[in-house]
Amino acid sequence: MLELIREPWPWYIAGPLVGLTVPALLIIGNKSFGISASLRHTCAMCLPANIKFFKYDWKKEIWNMFFVLGILLGGVIAYSFLSNPNPIIIDGNLQTELAGYGITEIYGMLPEQLFSWESLFTLKGFFMMVVGGFFIGFGSRYAGGCTSGHAISGLSNLQMPSLIATCCFFIGGLIMANIILPFILSL
């Protein structure tokens, strides 16, 4: 059983399990799936300033904080006890392309040459972590939710704004991966 949990699950098992989260939340408590709202709840809990956006009854949404805590705890457990000891296999073409940008040490999910405290103070690292983080936060607020909320929950509820947001997420991802990212990596 433990070996089954350690292996990556195929899409036809993992996908429906993620997808079944939406009806489960709707049936159990009439709640919508999404993660970015938890940041608003955290700010409303910790910073009860006189800001209109944070003035609401966040206690009604405490379930979302437990949901996010469960995701975090699940990630820690998976990393600590269920990690695959085998090295990550990266396609040779991608390795060659990354080497052209000076990224040669790829030992984990995030290359340390891009995502480390030392690279944070470089132009490339600043754009990747600080500017990228800002755009993710701004975009999820501007779109009224994050990719999980729109693409999983909103689409399954047949919401037109979620379809538009999800299309924009994919278009933005294609532009980022094929135009902007190569430019940033060449800095």
Side-chain angles (χ1 to χ4, degrees), residues 52-127:
K52 184 179 177 183
F53 184 69
F54 296 130
K55 289 181 117 180
Y56 67 97
D57 189 9
W58 57 266
K59 293 175 185 169
K60 288 183 179 178
E61 303 298 328
I62 196 72
W63 71 271
N64 192 264
M65 300 304 292
F66 285 108
F67 189 79
V68 172
L69 184 65
I71 292 172
L72 179 66
L73 186 61
V76 169
I77 290 170
Y79 179 79
S80 300
F81 302 109
L82 302 173
S83 291
N84 187 345
N86 300 325
I88 296 173
I89 300 170
I90 297 174
D91 184 72
N93 293 332
L94 179 59
Q95 285 181 342
T96 304
E97 184 177 346
L98 290 174
Y101 297 116
I103 302 167
T104 56
E105 299 175 17
I106 307 170
Y107 303 113
M109 295 297 283
L110 301 172
E112 285 192 28
Q113 292 164 315
L114 290 177
F115 301 99
S116 65
W117 288 108
E118 293 80 27
S119 68
L120 176 62
F121 299 107
T122 65
L123 187 61
K124 186 186 307 185
F126 182 80
F127 271 104

